[in-house]
Amino acid sequence: MGESDLLPEEFRTSDYFNHIDMGFLNERLAITALGPLRNDYFEKRDSSTDHIALLQNRHLLVTMLIDLYRSLDVPTLLEALELNQPRHVFMSIEQLEPCLEIYDKKRVSHNVIFDIHREKHVKVSYHTSHICADTGRMILAEGKGYRQAIIGLLYRRDEYFEIEPIVIGSPWLDHPRNKNGHTAIWLGQEKFGEILAEDIEEFKEMKQIKVSSAEEWMDVMAKTPESFVKSAVCKLLSEPEKADWGGEDNDHYSSNVTLAGRRHTAAFLLKGPSKFQEMTPAMCGKNGDQIYRLDRVKADISVIQHSHLIGVAVRETLRKFVVQPGQTRKFCIIDGQATYRLLKAYKFV
């Protein structure tokens, strides 16, 4: 993914409320899931019966559900799968296989797409009567190419995992809580959550560095050890290095990363040139468990750095751990070329 594929800096660094434009809503399950808060919903909802009132009530219900689950620190789907419980609620942004049967069957199932190998497949099953928008039906039918925000219940079956969805819809930034959210939505809201390394105030000088060829950065990064990169990052953040140990969740954790003028926490996973090749999930532990451990600390920004290229599967897996409805957390991919630009900008190389 190039810089042109990302949101402009103003939008990618903003802490937007990540809402859901629901195409599927099981209202009975959603109201039940609110628990005691359901009385608040009944008091706030519009008693009118016209289409606008119905739509506003649905958005109110979904917003309240997102707020509740965010306060309870509900996991993403990948986190819930790692927990391996018989039943677990989750809130996540995923990609689904196509489901053409959605147009003529009352109940359908289709698989969730993953970028890492899983021994058991995961399928979402639902009654099509809960589809509440024609666009939502079309997106569920076409599947691949769309990201879907999902709130649901994950069940562990003998041979697979099954999702009972409460809400399915497009990730959506057009919400009263978001200044200019109506503008950001047309700038690729489904990519919201990823920042560039140069968006970080302490790394901003790398914006001035241009690379003339692949050989320029690869010749340097092939012989630059991980420990050197770690030392440079720590110096730029004015922090001491911590000792490495086998069970660590990350290679460095900082509470002094500045983004959009505000201080944030950041967790770093650093990979040197011991395998000087494009990073794949297999290079991040079994089933990408190093990515899971990186996310587990719930830093504001999760960063993966590698001396070579970083594959799409790694980026998408990190995205699925970090980006979540209601959340403002971000992730950052720093590949070998970006690392070289950072080191050169601050005269480490």
Side-chain angles (χ1 to χ4, degrees), residues 124-267:
V124 55
S125 303
Y126 52 89
H127 290 283
T128 56
S129 60
H130 296 298
I131 295 173
C132 57
D134 290 339
T135 302
R137 188 184 301 271
M138 180 271 292
I139 290 174
L140 286 167
E142 294 187 5
K144 292 181 179 180
Y146 295 96
R147 289 193 178 94
Q148 296 274 54
I150 305 175
I151 302 175
L153 296 167
L154 178 68
Y155 294 90
R156 187 183 66 204
R157 311 300 190 194
D158 289 339
E159 302 297 329
Y160 59 92
F161 286 92
E162 186 171 26
I163 293 169
E164 180 181 23
I166 302 174
V167 184
I168 307 176
S170 297
W172 204 248
L173 302 184
D174 189 4
H175 192 276
R177 296 179 185 177
N178 295 333
K179 181 181 178 181
N180 294 331
H182 63 286
T183 303
I185 190 173
W186 303 117
L187 296 173
Q189 80 279 5
E190 66 177 22
K191 297 181 177 68
F192 178 67
E194 182 171 6
I195 64 168
L196 298 174
E198 50 261 50
D199 293 335
I200 296 172
E201 178 71 19
E202 290 76 14
F203 300 166
K204 67 179 181 181
E205 294 303 320
M206 64 185 289
K207 292 179 182 178
Q208 311 305 321
I209 303 300
K210 306 297 181 183
V211 178
S212 60
S213 66
E215 289 75 16
E216 179 185 350
W217 68 266
M218 293 181 74
D219 288 347
V220 173
M221 296 312 303
K223 52 192 178 186
T224 301
E226 177 186 317
S227 58
F228 185 89
V229 174
K230 180 177 179 179
S231 177
V233 168
C234 290
K235 287 177 181 177
L236 292 175
L237 297 175
S238 302
E239 295 174 338
E241 294 181 49
K242 70 175 184 179
D244 292 330
W245 65 284
E248 63 190 357
D249 285 334
N250 52 78
D251 293 303
H252 186 70
Y253 184 89
S254 173
S255 58
N256 294 295
V257 170
T258 308
L259 185 69
R262 298 181 299 278
R263 195 172 77 170
H264 292 72
T265 58

Side-chain angles (χ1 to χ4, degrees), residues 77 80-90 118 120-123 153-164:
L77 176 58
L81 289 168
E82 290 290 334
L83 295 172
N84 198 29
Q85 298 296 314
R87 178 178 181 272
H88 211 296
V89 68
F90 74 93
R118 300 208 63 86
K120 292 183 178 182
H121 69 277
V122 181
K123 67 179 182 180
L153 296 167
L154 178 68
Y155 294 90
R156 187 183 66 204
R157 311 300 190 194
D158 289 339
E159 302 297 329
Y160 59 92
F161 286 92
E162 186 171 26
I163 293 169
E164 180 181 23

Side-chain angles (χ1 to χ4, degrees), residues 3 14 18 31 38 124 143 160 170 174 188 222 229 256 280 311 346:
E3 292 185 21
S14 295
N18 203 346
I31 292 171
R38 68 176 69 97
V124 55
Y160 59 92
S170 297
D174 189 4
V229 174
N256 294 295
T280 64
Y346 292 93

Side-chain angles (χ1 to χ4, degrees), residues 49 91 133 160 259 261 316:
T49 57
M91 189 163 61
Y160 59 92
L259 185 69
E316 289 303 314

